[in-house]
Amino acid sequence: MADLKKVSQGARNSAFLRWIYGNLTCFSQEHMQTFGYLAAMLPVVDELYDTDAEKVQALSTYRTFFNTEPQIGTMVVGLTVGLEEARANGEPLDDDTINGIRAGLMGPLAGLGDSIIVGTFIPILLIALGLSTGGSVLGPLFYVIAWNVAMYFGMKFAFDQGYELGGSAVEALVGPQSAALRDSIVLVGTMVIGAVAATWINITTALSFQFSADSGLVLQDTLDSIFPKFLNIFFVWLCWYLMTKRKMSPTVVMGLLVIVALVGVLLGFFDPGLSY
Amino acid sequence: MGISMVQAILLGLFACLASLPGMGGTTVGNYTLGRPLVGGLIVGLILGDIQTGIIVGAAIQLVYIALVTPGGTVSADVRAVTYIGIPLAILAIRAQGLDPSSEAASGLAASLGAAVGTLGTVLFYGTATLNLVWQGIGWKAMDGGNWATIKKTIPMVDFVLPWISHIAFSFIPTVVICLAGESMVGLMKDYLPMDGVAMKTLFTVGSLLPAVGIAILCKQVVQKPLDWVTFAFGFILAAVMGCNLICSAVIAVFFALINFKIEQLKLMRPAAAAAGDADFDDEEEEDI
């Protein structure tokens, strides 16, 4: 068994780097990440097979449509490098098996990837926003470093896990354990998003009524006494409602907000109170 | 002070790197250079006003905070928001004589960013469509079955040819709009007084827009009505109890840990029952 083929470290690195750089560079609506995948698998296939005909045939496996969250999807690339190695050593893996695994992972990993991205990217970004108060370079620098370091090592880990453990690694990721993890990540996300809605939005009304000389009502104060920053939470809920229950796109919602703002300004509900 | 040709060219190059199917890659290009906060720093460096750049970037970032690349679908892209919106917003803030750190400046930046953002969607579809031509070249090579050709063509198609799409749909639009920007914001100042309905509306929209960004996030995390209670909990931490974001995040992690333990306990029961014959390496196995 000494003559078992093994993908060299160099070819693996090459596949990894090609994927993390090129997963979306040649994106189209029709084929999405397919070309990134082909480009990533090319050095591996080139190394594993001897004849050109075998190489062409092996690479053709990856012509099948591929699209997932590209960063967590690194794991699938690592996995197929492992599978391709097994196939080159005579394991009975046909194109359908490999593509079945790929297709089966795209959906769950996209869902998992999105919640992991929301769970890591949003907090890093929010802390960076906090650090950038007053135009401090600390904020963007923190984001650049924290995000790229986290993602590079995260993707490297995913790729290596995929390569070494094969299918079982990914099963662990999309199995019941991961549901508990995802649930908890989403819990953090929801709470932090709530805190952001209170911190970073500032919607106030300028409306006030004067009943007599010494009695009046400033609507903003009344709202604050019922629920502080009520308008923030109301507008977030409204936008959410329009997008989920009314199936509007974010762009349409933004358009509606322009109308709301115009009407609000005309009625005196909104007034930024600015002048040159 | 306007934007010089050299500055516009630099902005155009960054637009190529940063857009969604961008030439900087997903992690470094779209998720780093494309973020308005980072873009604010870069645009600030290019235009020689880092502080204003970052303030404007942060304000626009808030609207586009949720702009992640969802696995299944593709949403709007940030090249226009970041590398057209931020330069225009900086010009506009200067032209209006606003204090960059004021609420008004942030509102103006958010509105301009969003207005330009719709353009980004058009540019995105343009790029993706032109990429089909390069992919066609790739398929042809694959069909030809000549390995030497394939080996040359595929990296070419994935890494090099899309630059042409970006010159057409990222570089040229950015350069042209940025160069025209000065006269555009000048016109705005002359014809739209700050206390008129148009400008009041513009600034109000700027204060409302971050709600859309947050709502997109809510769309991803709120699955059932009770999740709004979790959201309100976080909201109250910040709005009523005065926690900053880092403190709120720590408290949230604490609750998440409790939740994770409860979920694991729930999982353990059927797993323990099933572990009788399966070779599940569960430490709790001897309990049954």
Side-chain angles (χ1 to χ4, degrees):
Chain A
M1 297 293 272
D3 57 345
L4 270 187
K5 289 178 185 165
K6 192 157 169 56
V7 187
S8 69
Q9 186 69 44
R12 289 210 305 270
N13 277 343
S14 173
F16 172 69
L17 292 175
R18 279 172 174 222
W19 171 255
I20 66 169
Y21 171 69
N23 49 30
L24 282 169
T25 44
C26 194
F27 175 93
S28 75
Q29 295 288 359
E30 198 180 336
H31 303 293
M32 299 208 170
Q33 298 159 359
T34 313
F35 271 87
Y37 214 105
L38 284 170
M41 289 307 289
L42 196 135
V44 173
V45 168
D46 195 32
E47 190 178 273
L48 280 173
Y49 296 96
D50 299 323
T51 70
D52 282 3
E54 282 177 323
K55 289 176 185 178
V56 174
Q57 204 199 350
L59 193 65
S60 298
T61 312
Y62 305 99
R63 292 178 63 144
T64 317
F65 175 83
F66 188 78
N67 185 49
T68 188
E69 201 296 301
Q71 295 164 110
I72 192 89
T74 310
M75 178 167 248
V76 186
V77 181
L79 177 69
T80 45
V81 171
L83 291 177
E84 200 57 57
E85 186 182 271
R87 176 157 78 166
N89 285 317
E91 293 276 343
L93 287 160
D94 58 10
D95 289 5
D96 287 347
T97 314
I98 292 180
N99 279 318
I101 293 171
R102 289 208 309 159
L105 287 173
M106 286 192 309
L109 280 183
L112 181 73
D114 289 348
S115 57
I116 287 181
I117 298 299
V118 171
T120 53
F121 161 76
I122 302 292
I124 292 175
L125 192 56
L126 292 177
I127 292 170
L129 269 175
L131 290 174
S132 65
T133 318
S136 164
V137 288
L138 208 60
L141 286 183
F142 169 80
Y143 174 79
V144 169
I145 295 166
W147 171 255
N148 284 288
V149 167
M151 286 322 283
Y152 180 80
F153 286 105
M155 289 190 289
K156 188 89 188 110
F157 178 76
F159 184 86
D160 291 344
Q161 287 290 306
Y163 171 69
E164 280 162 26
L165 298 172
S168 59
V170 189
E171 249 163 52
L173 254 186
V174 296
Q177 279 279 348
S178 82
L181 187 64
R182 198 185 319 186
D183 213 46
S184 306
I185 290 175
V186 168
L187 186 81
V188 178
T190 316
M191 268 192 224
V192 175
I193 293 163
V196 172
T199 314
W200 282 89
I201 309 181
N202 193 13
I203 304 172
T204 52
T205 171
L207 206 59
S208 64
F209 304 98
Q210 195 73 33
F211 299 130
S212 64
D214 54 350
S215 82
L217 185 149
V218 180
L219 187 58
Q220 185 61 42
D221 293 349
T222 313
L223 287 176
D224 280 345
S225 70
I226 300 168
F227 196 102
K229 306 193 179 184
F230 170 77
L231 286 176
N232 289 8
I233 214 165
F234 171 74
F235 272 98
V236 169
W237 178 84
L238 179 71
C239 296
W240 173 84
Y241 173 81
L242 293 173
M243 283 188 281
T244 52
K245 305 291 173 191
R246 299 267 159 211
K247 308 282 178 217
M248 287 183 189
S249 75
T251 319
V252 175
V253 174
M254 286 183 180
L256 273 181
L257 287 183
V258 174
I259 297 168
V260 169
L262 177 67
V263 173
V265 166
L266 291 175
L267 294 176
F269 189 80
F270 295 119
D271 187 356
L274 292 166
S275 58
Y276 285 117
Chain B
M1 204 188 102
I3 295 177
S4 71
M5 194 60 181
V6 178
Q7 287 170 329
I9 286 172
L10 283 172
L11 292 170
L13 275 179
F14 273 102
C16 297
L17 291 172
S19 46
L20 177 55
M23 297 319 294
T26 303
T27 308
V28 175
N30 183 38
Y31 274 102
T32 306
L33 297 175
R35 296 301 114 179
L37 182 63
V38 179
L41 173 63
I42 292 167
V43 175
L45 280 170
I46 294 174
L47 298 185
D49 188 349
I50 297 177
Q51 196 195 3
T52 309
I54 293 174
I55 291 172
V56 168
I60 295 180
Q61 179 68 72
L62 205 56
V63 180
Y64 288 93
I65 199 156
L67 203 62
V68 295
T69 312
T73 51
V74 171
S75 53
D77 99 328
V78 284
R79 89 193 83 177
V81 173
T82 304
Y83 292 100
I84 300 175
I86 295 178
L88 289 189
I90 292 177
L91 289 181
I93 287 168
R94 279 182 192 158
Q96 309 278 25
L98 294 170
D99 173 7
S101 54
S102 63
E103 292 266 335
S106 304
L108 179 63
S111 299
L112 267 177
V116 176
T118 43
L119 176 70
T121 320
V122 178
L123 298 178
F124 163 77
Y125 282 107
T127 320
T129 308
L130 191 51
N131 279 346
L132 276 173
V133 177
W134 322 133
Q135 294 186 339
I137 297 174
W139 292 133
K140 219 174 142 206
M142 288 296 289
D143 290 336
N146 181 334
W147 182 250
T149 317
I150 292 175
K151 207 178 159 182
K152 267 211 314 277
T153 311
I154 295 293
M156 198 59 190
V157 166
D158 200 48
F159 305 131
V160 182
L161 291 174
W163 271 106
I164 302 173
S165 316
H166 279 283
I167 288 169
F169 289 103
S170 304
F171 185 78
I172 293 175
T174 307
V175 171
V176 169
I177 297 174
C178 285
L179 285 177
E182 197 185 10
S183 47
M184 273 157 59
V185 296
L187 282 177
M188 192 167 92
K189 192 189 172 188
D190 292 344
Y191 289 99
L192 303 170
M194 198 75 108
D195 49 358
V197 171
M199 283 311 259
K200 275 187 182 177
T201 306
L202 185 67
F203 283 106
T204 305
V205 171
S207 73
L208 296 179
L209 280 177
V212 181
I214 308 282
I216 297 175
L217 285 178
C218 289
K219 202 174 139 193
Q220 288 169 358
V221 295
V222 174
Q223 306 295 340
K224 49 188 190 293
L226 272 181
D227 289 342
W228 281 108
V229 179
T230 317
F231 175 87
F233 183 79
F235 189 90
I236 288 166
L237 282 180
V240 184
M241 300 171 80
C243 292
N244 66 19
L245 289 176
I246 298 175
C247 293
S248 304
V250 172
I251 296 172
V253 169
F254 175 75
F255 279 98
L257 279 177
I258 298 176
N259 180 64
F260 186 65
K261 292 208 166 126
I262 295 173
E263 292 289 327
Q264 273 202 317
L265 280 176
K266 271 200 268 180
L267 276 176
M268 220 163 261
R269 302 175 85 186
D277 54 323
D279 52 346
F280 228 69
D281 49 298
D282 210 324
E283 291 151 33
E284 291 347 75
E285 219 167 17
E286 52 242 62
D287 287 353
I288 16 162

